[in-house]
Amino acid sequence: MASVEFKEVGKSFDDVQVVRELSLDIMDGEFLVLVGPSGCGKSTTLRMLAGLETPDRGDIFIGGRCVNQVAPKDRDIGMVFQSYALYPHMTVFENMAFALKLRKESRSDIDATVGRVARMLGLEELLTRRPSQLSGGQRQRVAMGRALVREPSVFLFDEPLSNLDAALRVEMRAELSALHRQVGTTKIYVTHDQVEAMTLGDRIAVLNAGVLQQCAEPLELYERPANTFVAGFMGTPSMNFIEGIVTFEEGNAHLQNGVLRVPLAGVASSLQPGEGLTLGVRPSALRFVRATEGDFLAEVAMIEPMGWEARVHCLVRDKTIVAQVESSDVRTLRVGDSVGVKFSAECLYGFDTVGDARWWPKLP
Ligand code: ADP
Ligand code: MG
């Protein structure tokens, strides 16, 4: 097992900086998830760690050793990709044994290691099959097995579940968690899926446009996002944002945005009249009340029934706000209805005009 450190690492392709000044410490035995939208530099970061890309700037350390000049094969890394890249003409056993054969391990050692890993992954019955005779999930398991048998000091995963259907993804996610409890080797896992990130990571590093936004434990990211990007990225449906200007009336602060007025009673005492502010409110923090009783009025634009919950898209003037409510609470609601929207001020997140967090909701 080994720690991993990125120190002010930068990488450009054709004048475009795809990773900027990345500094990140990953502890020995940690499961770190690197998450962000497509194209934000996740794979490039992983490939630099594996030695498949060369950084333009900065240093990368594995187990305290700078690996900038170390060849990929000498970095002691196991990598699992989205495309399984199995050898089609080899059986499952041969695929898993391949790297060990290259290392010239003895037949009995190879049998023992492949057998143990196959048991761990539920592949024992499939060892004589070829990849074409396996389901997608089984192939992905073989790809993992192939990395596991080598017992590297760090595992890298690049969107390994993206090719699987939704149900299988959920199943494999649980298996990966269980696997990490058995094989405590340091893991760095890349995904664009924030649910995967939340459920798998000891910590999550959020990347946007090549810039690390925040690295923290899953709930910390959700409850105390550093900025509007992290706040909007973590959580489904996304947080609603309302921009406006702080106004005071008889000593009570409001956020004013045209005719929309959101009361800020008791939220932040440091607000100045006239300053710009962005409020964040999670869809789950919104409730519908009679039109006369809400904090503001909205028109129902779309209702998505999801089972026990429903997502209601509302128009507040030209802005869409999404509420996540229990289906039973909105059974009589129809598109076009005017409703009052209410939330408690304790649920509000505050951000400044450049999107950095000013305050978070008070937690119970
Ligand atoms: P992610 O994995 O987060 O989706 P990548 O790290 O693959 O993102 O890519 C980041 C950006 O760098 C993208 O805009 C991509 O097009 C670009 N890029 C990646 N690899 C290369 C390359 N070899 N040559 C030129 N541009 C590249
Ligand atoms: Mg990628």
Side-chain angles (χ1 to χ4, degrees), residues 167-185:
L168 199 51
R169 261 202 320 267
V170 173
E171 193 184 315
M172 291 292 286
R173 210 163 70 202
E175 285 186 20
L176 263 168
S177 276
L179 190 70
H180 185 58
R181 284 192 293 276
Q182 283 183 64
V183 184
T185 310

Side-chain angles (χ1 to χ4, degrees), residues 7 18 26 29 34 36 40 51 112 139 147 272 281 291 319 331 341:
K7 214 168 175 179
V18 298
I26 299 148
L34 199 55
C40 73
R139 281 180 215 173
Q272 299 298 321
V281 56
K319 191 174 170 57
R331 201 151 271 157
V341 179

